[in-house]
Amino acid sequence: MDKLLVSLSKFNRREQTTLFIGALLVALYLLWIAVLSPLNSKREQLIKTTTSTQQSLGRVQVLARQFEQLAQQSNQASLAGDNLSGLIDASLRENGMAMSSFIPGTNGEVRVRIDKVATEPLMQWLYDLESKYHIAIRELSITASNDPGQVSINLRLVKP
């Protein structure tokens, strides 16, 4: 160490300052190359991994919600089972309607009459019959009632 100080004392103040600043810059560069750059690379890699994991989690949550909905629909359908009258009655109550008459037919077909029902819940119920409960509509007759916005319908339904 003494030799270093002796050799440094041979230079004037300006040259010593330049050598000191140069040595400091070299030390900072080595610190950057050896420590900070790898840490920065690792940080960016972890950010990418976290983003990817968050996206995967989002997809899993969406699939979980879909699974829960399908399980709930399956439970509703299995509660009614092949009992078409119970299934129709439950789905009507779910949409705020009630059937006026129910006539069982041959080959698992049934005839249903609903009087004085608003068109919006009726369309939702018809959609639910086919999409949720997989009940086919074989025949549909819609008749306007005396009340505005209300209709009466006759249906022939079958569960395939």
Side-chain angles (χ1 to χ4, degrees), residues 14-33:
R14 179 186 248 174
E15 291 170 338
Q16 287 176 353
T17 305
T18 304
L19 284 173
F20 178 71
I21 290 174
L24 184 63
L25 289 175
V26 168
L28 288 175
Y29 178 73
L30 289 176
L31 177 69
W32 174 258
I33 293 297

Side-chain angles (χ1 to χ4, degrees), residues 76-87:
Q76 289 174 350
S78 67
L79 285 176
D82 288 331
N83 184 3
L84 196 54
S85 65
L87 186 62

Side-chain angles (χ1 to χ4, degrees), residues 5-16:
L5 290 175
V6 170
S7 62
L8 249 148
S9 65
K10 291 180 185 176
F11 298 107
N12 66 27
R13 190 59 109 180
R14 179 186 248 174
E15 291 170 338
Q16 287 176 353

Side-chain angles (χ1 to χ4, degrees), residues 53-69:
T53 304
Q54 287 174 339
Q55 290 172 348
S56 295
L57 175 63
R59 288 190 297 270
V60 167
Q61 287 173 336
V62 167
L63 290 173
R65 277 188 237 115
Q66 289 175 349
F67 178 77
E68 288 172 358
Q69 289 174 349

Side-chain angles (χ1 to χ4, degrees), residues 39-52:
L39 284 177
N40 192 30
S41 298
K42 184 67 173 176
R43 179 182 166 271
E44 289 176 7
Q45 180 186 5
L46 289 173
I47 288 172
K48 287 179 184 177
T49 303
T50 302
T51 303
S52 173

